[in-house]
Amino acid sequence: MDRTNAPGAPEQEDGGLRARLVTVGAELVAAEGVQALTLREIARRAGVSHGAPRRYFPTHLSLLSAIARRGFGELSEHLAAEADAQPQSDPHAQLLGMARAYLDFARTHPGMYELMFRHDLLESGHLGLRETSLPMFTTLVDLVARARPHSEVGTRPTVGTRPTVGTRPTTDTYPSAEPQSVAGALWANLHGIAQLWSWGALQLATGADDVEPLLRAALDAHLGPAPR
């Protein structure tokens, strides 16, 4: 009999332990916030010795990063589902659905959302932000490209000119920003709205009690008004 495949074999138990530690950590951050995520507490709730997690996660940051990757996966699935629920011929509506889903995730998963963007995790290299966020960002870029074609142009003041009183500044045309840049700016805008709304700062500054107008304004600023 092959004991490596037998129920209760050490290899099988170890494989399940890694996933269990991440699951316990995700449940703990949802219930009690980032400050509760100690190695000792995660091990206790997983039913193992406090040193057991170090077989898979040699540092605290490596375990936190694995938990945060779980969050990025859930967020990506949430955004994709909302985009798919909108008319596939309307990229603006899909982006609005993703924006709503992004803010909803930040509101309903505040502990995980905070963990996902902790600067020490991002700087440690354990998180692998490019790999964890790339599918989500690629979808965002594709939708931006469809909603805001490359052929658009804008105007800007000609460098070195200073308008005289009563005249308009001289302008020239320039290509619209690349979809990657627009998508990055839109993501940053959504992240800022989510963070400031959670702190109550936007409600105080704008007097708003509904985030929807802010979302629509952000999309209009980056994409232009939605087609009617």
Side-chain angles (χ1 to χ4, degrees):
M1 178 177 177
D2 183 357
R3 294 187 58 82
T4 62
N5 292 320
E11 292 83 355
Q12 189 179 53
E13 291 178 356
D14 284 354
L17 175 57
R18 188 186 194 284
R20 188 161 81 252
L21 290 169
V22 174
T23 297
V24 166
E27 293 170 350
L28 182 57
V29 75
E32 300 185 22
V34 174
Q35 68 281 355
L37 290 176
T38 65
L39 278 173
R40 185 177 294 274
E41 181 60 16
I42 292 173
R44 187 187 71 79
R45 293 190 180 217
V48 297
S49 68
H50 67 269
R54 295 193 181 278
R55 283 184 285 174
Y56 299 100
F57 307 104
T59 66
H60 189 207
L61 280 179
S62 61
L63 176 53
L64 295 184
S65 296
I67 297 167
R69 281 195 297 273
R70 174 78 63 87
F72 272 107
E74 293 174 354
L75 173 60
S76 184
E77 291 175 2
H78 193 35
L79 298 187
E82 289 300 319
D84 290 344
Q86 306 302 320
Q88 300 301 295
S89 60
D90 189 346
H92 201 288
Q94 290 181 283
L95 285 166
L96 181 57
M98 289 180 68
R100 288 170 177 157
Y102 191 91
L103 263 68
D104 181 68
F105 184 91
R107 179 181 61 82
T108 57
H109 301 76
M112 179 64 83
Y113 187 78
E114 179 185 351
L115 177 67
M116 288 161 57
F117 295 101
R118 270 182 47 162
H119 69 88
D120 53 346
L121 265 63
L122 300 178
E123 292 173 355
S124 71
H126 293 302
L127 183 56
L129 182 59
R130 179 174 175 79
E131 291 74 21
T132 54
S133 64
L134 189 59
M136 175 181 67
F137 188 67
T138 298
T139 299
L140 189 61
V141 171
D142 290 344
L143 289 173
V144 165
R146 289 173 52 206
R148 190 175 184 274
H150 282 285
S151 58
E152 291 182 358
V153 295
T155 59
R156 62 183 174 192
T158 302
V159 176
T161 63
R162 173 175 293 180
T164 58
V165 176
T167 65
R168 295 179 178 273
T170 305
T171 61
D172 55 13
T173 61
Y174 66 101
S176 61
E178 290 296 316
Q180 290 88 344
S181 297
V182 177
L186 178 57
W187 184 8
N189 202 163
L190 292 176
H191 187 78
I193 292 173
Q195 192 69 75
L196 292 172
W197 191 265
S198 71
W199 292 339
L202 281 176
Q203 297 92 315
L204 183 62
T206 65
D209 57 7
D210 182 5
V211 76
E212 181 75 10
L214 295 174
L215 285 184
R216 291 182 177 273
L219 261 66
D220 288 352
H222 293 290
L223 307 174
R228 295 184 181 274

